[in-house]
């Protein structure tokens, strides 16, 4: 268990203009978390390229933002050019912020977004040794398949309804306001 104080930030979608905050978060992941996130060791250059492509890939990225920094992220990625029946999810939480329920909370948001886009099958892959990720996937009723040192989790989101769509829309409104506040704080910090 980390000794980080209770969480004071917010979970919201990242705006397309926030690729640098996403990049900085991924760069701050410790060596082991980077390997768990990408299933192999990756360099800073790899992460910089990866974060830059966030918008090109049309991914939805949820983030936990605290004090102008992104500390955790969850990506919902298309498996083709457009949203189809299937999509993929990936998660990253900085070491000091792990074990505070962020991974679980972020997975809930990603599943809801997948549901609202009519996705029938959501995949999550992680290394076989990644017990934490598997615990979270199980909490969300994923079917886990173990193969060749990897685990593929398969989640079948429910059909969208009025409430799931409304809940995401309300979150988006609040999230947008928080993003604007964070941007202002970042500008003030940079000018200081
Ligand atoms: C995996 C990761 C996303 C989890 O995020 P997190 O915010 O720490 O997770 P949570 O706090 O929501 O939940 C962790 C759960 O794992 C459980 N857990 C912790 N250590 C465990 C272990 N060794 N074995 C089994 N379960 C474990 C916790 O008890 C908790 O479940 P609970 O809430 O029911 O008690 C985070 O550790 C991370 O970013 N790791 C590096 C990147 C990565 O592995 N990404 C996943 C591949 S895409």
């Amino acid at each position: 268990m980390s000794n980080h104080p209770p969480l004071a930030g917010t979970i919201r979608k990242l705006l397309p203009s926030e690729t640098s905050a996403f990049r900085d978060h991924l760069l701050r992941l410790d060596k082991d978390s980077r390997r768990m996130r990408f299933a192999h060791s990756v360099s800073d250059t790899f992460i910089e390229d990866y974060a830059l492509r966030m918008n090109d890939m049309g991914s939805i990225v949820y983030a936990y933002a605290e004090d102008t920094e992104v500390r955790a992220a969850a990506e919902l990625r298309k498996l083709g050019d457009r949203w189809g029946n299937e999509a993929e999810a990936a998660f990253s939480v900085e070491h000091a912020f792990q074990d505070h329920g962020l991974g679980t909370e972020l997975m809930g948001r990603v599943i809801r977004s997948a549901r609202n886009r009519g996705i029938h099958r959501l995949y999550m892959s992680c290394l076989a040794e990644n017990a934490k990720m598997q615990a979270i996937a199980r909490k969300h009723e994923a079917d886990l398949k173990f193969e060749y040192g990897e685990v593929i989790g398969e989640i079948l989101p429910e059909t969208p309804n009025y409430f799931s769509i409304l809940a995401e829309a309300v979150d988006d409104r609040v999230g947008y306001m928080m993003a604007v506040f964070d941007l202002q704080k970042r500008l003030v910090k940079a000018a200081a």
Side-chain angles (χ1 to χ4, degrees):
M1 174 67 93
S2 69
N3 51 12
H4 186 268
L7 299 173
T10 43
I11 292 180
R12 61 173 176 82
K13 280 181 195 158
L14 284 185
L15 302 179
S17 57
E18 294 184 290
T19 47
S20 57
F22 179 47
R23 175 201 62 203
D24 293 347
H25 154 66
L26 293 174
L27 286 172
R28 276 193 299 270
L29 291 177
D30 59 277
K31 201 174 158 202
D32 199 42
S33 296
R34 272 194 198 192
R35 192 175 68 82
M36 294 287 195
R37 166 60 188 80
F38 294 100
H40 53 88
S41 302
V42 294
S43 65
D44 287 359
T45 313
F46 174 94
I47 288 184
E48 281 157 12
D49 288 348
Y50 181 88
L52 266 182
R53 282 187 279 117
M54 174 185 114
N55 294 329
D56 298 345
M57 293 192 292
S59 307
I60 292 175
V61 182
Y62 278 98
Y64 170 75
E66 186 179 307
D67 195 21
T68 74
E69 304 287 0
V70 167
R71 297 299 186 176
E75 298 159 65
L76 176 63
R77 283 202 306 259
K78 301 167 189 165
L79 289 179
D81 290 342
R82 57 185 64 193
W83 294 109
N85 286 338
E86 301 183 331
E88 193 181 16
F91 302 84
S92 49
V93 181
E94 290 179 29
H95 186 75
F97 292 78
Q98 292 180 7
D99 296 313
H100 280 76
L102 281 174
T104 305
E105 190 64 32
L106 286 165
M107 190 181 263
R109 305 289 173 110
V110 161
I111 293 172
R112 189 183 62 194
S113 281
R115 174 184 183 184
N116 288 342
R117 278 150 194 81
I119 288 156
H120 300 315
R121 228 169 266 272
L122 179 62
Y123 296 104
M124 179 275 323
S125 73
C126 68
L127 294 176
E129 69 205 71
N130 198 342
K132 249 190 231 189
M133 194 63 236
Q134 288 154 41
I136 296 173
R138 278 197 193 92
K139 278 200 269 182
H140 287 282
E141 297 173 1
D143 180 23
L144 300 183
K145 293 193 177 74
F146 291 73
E147 29 184 82
Y148 310 112
E150 227 194 337
V151 174
I152 311 287
E154 207 176 291
I155 295 168
L156 309 180
E158 290 174 56
T159 313
N161 63 20
Y162 173 77
F163 296 105
S164 66
I165 291 169
L166 182 69
E168 184 171 349
V170 170
D171 264 9
D172 284 354
R173 285 196 139 203
V174 176
Y176 184 77
M177 272 165 42
M178 297 312 293
V180 172
F181 286 141
D182 283 346
L183 177 68
Q184 274 176 343
K185 280 194 268 177
R186 254 180 252 140
L187 291 174
V188 169
K189 208 172 169 181

